[in-house]
Amino acid sequence: MSTSTVPRPHRALRSGPVSAPLSGSARVPGDKSISHRALMLGAVASGVTEIHGLLTGEDVLRTAAALRALGARIEAGADGIWRVAGVGVGGLAEPEGVLDMGNSGTAARLLMGLLATHPMTAFLTGDASLARRPMVRVAAPLERMGASFVARGGGRLPLAVIGTARPIPIAYRLPVPSAQVKSAVLLAGLNTPGLTSVIEAEPSRDHTELMLRHFGATVTAERMEDGAMAVSVAGEAELTGRPVRVPGDPSSAAFPAVAAAVLPGSEVLLPGIGVNPRRTGLYETLREMGADIAFENLREVGGEPVADLRVRGGRLRGVDVPAGRAPSMIDEYPILAVAAACAEGETVMRGLAELRVKESDRLATMAAGLAACGVSCEAGAETLVVRGTGKVPGGATVATSMDHRIAMSFLVLGLGAQAPVAVDDGAFIETSFPGFAALMNGLGARIGPSDTAPPA
Ligand code: S3P
C-alpha cells in the first residue's frame, strides 16, 4: 500500500501590499470539523441527514468518499444541500479498496474510531504530509477497546484497522489535548455496549458531543475532582438522521479577520461564523492585542453559537498568549504569528507542542517563513516568540510544506508587507478554504499566481 497516488500540481501564489484598506462583506466556507462530523454521524444514523452549508474542501470530500465506500449513500443536491442515507450504528460494510484520506488528519483519525468497533478490516492511506503524522495516539485507546492496527513504523499511515466484533467500553484519559482522539474514542463507543468515557484535562472542541446529542445519543460531561472533564457516550446508541446547519468556519474566518485587523482603516463583515467558545481563542487574543472585533447578532444554529464578525483595522501590540488557551485556538497560531509580525512589540505564544505534528511542523515552518520575510522570531521546543516592529519587509518566497494554513497565513502577511510575499504551493488551500484568493480579493486583497503580477 502506498501513500496517495494522485500527484497534485503545484500552484505558487503571491500577495502584494495593498494600496487601500480592506472593506466589504464575505461568507467564508462551512466549518471543517463540523462538516466531517455531520457526514460521519449521518452515515451511521438511521434515515436521512440533510446538511446545509457543508464545506466542500478536499478534506471533507475525502470523508464523503470513504463513507460511500463503507456503504453510506451521500449525494450533493443541486440545491446545495448534501443528503446522507445512513446505515445505522454498526452497519458500515467492509470497503473493497483502500480509503485515501488525502491531507486530512481529522478524516483519518475519526474514521479509525468509527471502524474500530466494526468487525472488518479496512486500509487507510493519505498524502505525504498525513503519512508523517502520529496515529498511535488514536490507535492506543482503540486497541484497549479490542481493535488492532497494522501500521508503518512509528504508527503511521498507511495502516490497516482490524475492527473488533466484541468491543469493550473504556474510560480513557487523554495524554495529549486532542479533539480528534476524544472524538475517535466516542465514535468507537457508539457501537460498544455500556459507557465509553474520555477524560480531558484541557477542554478541546466539543462538536462531536454536541452533534451526537443532536442525533439522539446520550452524552454526558461531568467534572472530576481534579478539574478534568469526563465525557461519556452511552453505547449501542440509536442515532436518527437530522438536519445539520454548518456555520462558517472560525478557523477560516481568521484569515480575512486578521488581514482586516492589521490593515488600518479596514472594515470587514464576516456573517454566520461559528463562535463556539472552544474555538474562539484567536479572537480573544486579537482583542488583547488591541483589535476591534465585534460578534454581532449572536444566535444559536443547530446547537452551535453563531455570530456575524465585524473587524475594523488598527494598530496592534504584542501580547503574551498563555498555554491554557492553546486548545481553543490550536489551528490559529500561524495566522496569529502573522498578526504578531504586523504588531508592535513582542508576542510570546506558549504551550505549542502540538503544532509540531499538524499538517506540517508549524513551529518550524512559521519561524522559517517569518525569518525569510525579515521578521525577528524564535521557535523553542513549544514556544514561538515574534518581535513586531510595525513594519514587515516581505519580499520572500515561503516554503509551505503541504500545509494550507501556512500558505494562507503568508498570503495575508504579504498584504501588510512592504514587498510582495510568495508561497511555493497554494494548492493545499483547497483542503479547507476553496475560493480563498477570490474571497480575499473581493475584500480588496491582491493575491494571484506568483509568476505574474498580483491582480491590480
Ligand atoms: C480537529 C481537532 C484539532 C485540529 C484539527 C481539527 C477536529 O486537532 O487541529 O484541525 O476536527 O477534531 P487535534 O485533535 O489533533 O488537536
Side-chain angles (χ1 to χ4, degrees), residues 32-33 37 106 109-110 137 177-181 183 205 330-331 354 358-359 405:
K32 182 153 70 71
S33 292
R37 287 157 172 82
T106 309
R109 293 184 174 133
L110 269 55
R137 52 178 57 198
S178 167
Q180 291 178 356
V181 180
S183 300
R205 66 191 69 192
I330 194 64
D331 291 334
E354 278 296 299
K358 293 294 177 190
E359 285 82 332
R405 296 197 205 282

Side-chain angles (χ1 to χ4, degrees), residues 171-451:
Y172 186 69
R173 187 174 274 267
L174 292 179
V176 285
S178 167
Q180 291 178 356
V181 180
K182 172 175 67 175
S183 300
V185 174
L186 294 176
L187 292 177
L190 281 178
N191 196 34
T192 301
L195 211 60
T196 296
S197 306
V198 179
I199 298 146
E200 56 176 359
E202 298 173 72
S204 65
R205 66 191 69 192
D206 58 357
H207 305 302
T208 302
E209 298 92 299
L210 293 176
M211 203 181 290
L212 277 170
R213 287 199 192 108
H214 181 60
F215 276 74
T218 304
V219 177
T220 55
E222 209 182 313
R223 192 168 293 283
M224 319 270 292
E225 268 177 20
D226 64 358
M229 291 297 289
V231 182
S232 307
V233 63
E236 298 181 322
E238 298 249 343
L239 301 187
T240 310
R242 292 281 161 82
V244 177
R245 289 185 189 278
V246 182
D249 195 326
S251 299
S252 296
F255 300 103
V258 166
V262 300
L263 296 169
S266 296
E267 181 167 346
V268 160
L269 182 70
L270 305 165
I273 306 300
V275 290
N276 182 317
R278 297 197 188 186
R279 295 286 299 281
T280 48
L282 171 76
Y283 299 100
E284 190 181 342
T285 306
L286 289 172
R287 284 187 185 124
E288 288 174 5
M289 296 174 83
D292 180 351
I293 300 178
F295 287 2
E296 297 179 351
N297 191 17
L298 204 56
R299 57 213 184 259
E300 200 178 286
V301 178
E304 291 276 354
V306 168
D308 305 331
L309 270 53
R310 189 178 297 278
V311 185
R312 295 186 180 90
R315 296 248 154 256
L316 304 187
R317 57 184 175 273
V319 291
D320 197 312
V321 191
R325 200 176 290 164
S328 69
M329 55 178 296
I330 194 64
D331 291 334
E332 277 67 80
Y333 285 98
I335 191 63
L336 175 63
V338 165
C342 298
E344 278 176 53
E346 186 174 272
T347 294
V348 184
M349 300 165 233
R350 304 173 194 277
L352 307 187
E354 278 296 299
L355 293 200
R356 299 256 180 222
V357 290
K358 293 294 177 190
E359 285 82 332
S360 68
D361 174 345
R362 285 185 177 158
L363 274 177
T365 43
M366 280 312 297
L370 288 173
C373 292
V375 177
S376 165
C377 66
E378 213 174 293
E382 41 184 273
T383 54
L384 182 63
V385 179
V386 178
R387 295 179 200 95
T389 60
K391 282 204 170 72
V392 175
T397 297
V398 169
T400 53
S401 301
M402 305 178 77
D403 190 328
H404 55 135
R405 296 197 205 282
I406 299 295
M408 289 186 278
S409 296
F410 280 101
L411 291 170
V412 169
L413 186 69
L415 304 177
Q418 291 171 315
V421 172
V423 296
D424 64 346
D425 193 1
F428 286 88
I429 293 171
E430 293 299 313
T431 61
S432 69
F433 199 152
F436 167 75
L439 180 145
M440 295 295 295
N441 290 343
L443 297 171
R446 302 170 69 222
I447 299 175
S450 87
D451 49 351

